[in-house]
Amino acid sequence: VTPPGSRQDVVLAEAERRAVTNGGVGFLLRFENRGTRHAILGNLTVTLTLSDTDGVRLDSLSFAPEDLKVLGGKNVLAGNALEQTVELPQSWSTGVIDVTYDVDLLQ
């Protein structure tokens, strides 16, 4: 049952470089549903682009739904969040990381 006027409002609330347990480089992706209706993260794809401090593009990585086991195709309840840390090559330990994503919000 979905109350009248309820809506999904899913945002990428946090995206930052993190150390992972094996001493490697990780990148945290945290999606929050700030709406009043649940949302399923359908067909989620994420692309990370690494640039140096002068803005020169160095590398790019894309993650498909099957790479995002915690996020891809999962249900985010209203007022809740899901997060996943993806592992990155060691060469990504410095520089600027830009994030783009595409998702179909399903009900």
Side-chain angles (χ1 to χ4, degrees):
V1 176
T2 303
S6 63
R7 63 180 179 80
Q8 305 162 322
D9 184 15
V10 177
V11 297
L12 179 61
E14 190 174 356
E16 65 183 26
R17 191 180 283 118
R18 292 269 173 103
V20 291
T21 55
N22 64 4
V25 180
F27 197 78
L28 173 74
L29 300 163
R30 177 183 171 87
F31 286 88
E32 291 180 0
N33 185 352
R34 297 176 179 172
T36 54
R37 180 187 336 161
H38 81 100
I40 298 171
L41 302 176
N43 301 315
L44 176 65
T45 58
V46 175
T47 300
L48 304 179
T49 304
L50 178 67
S51 301
D52 66 16
T53 55
D54 294 326
V56 176
R57 183 177 174 200
L58 303 172
D59 200 0
S60 181
L61 294 171
S62 293
F63 299 91
E66 57 271 12
D67 302 319
L68 302 167
K69 301 278 187 214
V70 175
L71 300 171
K74 300 301 190 234
N75 188 14
V76 186
L77 298 176
N80 286 285
L82 287 176
E83 63 182 43
Q84 179 175 346
T85 300
V86 296
E87 289 195 41
L88 302 176
Q90 193 63 37
S91 60
W92 285 62
S93 61
T94 61
V96 178
I97 299 175
D98 290 314
V99 181
T100 57
Y101 69 93
D102 189 38
V103 65
D104 297 327
L105 296 179
L106 309 173
Q107 296 182 36

